Amino acid sequence: MTATTGFRNGRVRVLIVDDEPALTDVLSGAVEEAGWRPYPALDGQSALRIARGCPPHAVVLDGMLPDPDGLQVLRRLRYESPELRVLSKSQILDHVWSSSFDGGGNLVEVYLSGLRRKIDKGRAPMIHTVRGLGYAIRPVEDGR
């Protein structure tokens, strides 16, 4: 089965990998609401096993997973499924708004800021900036 078969024969398959069950549940719910089919995994080994059985169209991956870490999982997924695409922030901007769009250099950050306001309203923050890497999502009870 190719990565595009699911688009024609059923719902989009989204592999969701995070070691925090509450976050995996929230993301799975959002994926279902979008009409897609979530495949949650709580660790890298489970994610690889799921992907081998049912190749995903998209992957939401915690880069800070314990062994194997998110980068190792991503490398393995791409090795086993070369058609799996990985997009950088600049590629997302180009694909969503097009390269001719002049939304400024912080467009992704502006949208992330709005997401933070919605998620963190009235409680400790869940989304944290990791300098030089991107963003980390930590459960509220983490206290950091």
Side-chain angles (χ1 to χ4, degrees):
M1 174 183 284
T2 66
T4 57
T5 304
F7 290 112
R8 290 188 300 262
N9 295 338
R11 297 190 304 177
V12 173
R13 297 181 303 272
V14 181
L15 177 61
I16 301 168
V17 190
D18 197 294
D19 58 340
E20 296 295 334
L23 184 56
T24 304
D25 289 346
V26 168
L27 292 171
S28 293
V31 165
E32 282 182 340
E33 280 185 35
W36 299 345
R37 184 163 184 183
Y39 286 84
L42 296 174
D43 59 68
Q45 292 301 329
S46 298
L48 294 170
R49 194 170 36 258
I50 290 168
R52 286 178 189 124
C54 191
H57 298 109
V59 180
V60 177
L61 177 64
D62 177 4
M64 301 171 77
L65 286 172
D67 192 38
D69 67 31
L71 188 55
Q72 292 170 320
V73 172
L74 178 60
R75 285 183 182 139
R76 193 76 196 155
L77 287 171
R78 294 201 63 212
Y79 176 78
E80 293 178 10
S81 300
E83 70 276 2
L84 183 65
R85 295 204 45 199
V86 177
L87 299 176
S88 68
K89 180 177 149 183
S90 62
Q91 288 173 311
I92 291 169
L93 288 170
D94 285 348
H95 287 288
V96 175
W97 287 282
S98 84
S99 57
S100 63
F101 180 74
D102 187 24
N106 68 340
L107 187 62
V108 172
E109 289 82 359
V110 169
Y111 278 91
L112 187 61
S113 176
L115 180 61
R116 281 180 166 152
R117 280 193 302 276
K118 290 178 182 180
I119 291 175
D120 297 339
K121 190 174 186 175
R123 61 179 181 175
M126 284 183 66
I127 302 173
H128 303 269
T129 302
V130 180
R131 291 191 184 268
L133 295 175
Y135 303 95
I137 299 176
R138 296 187 190 112
V140 174
E141 59 270 5
D142 202 358
R144 290 188 260 163

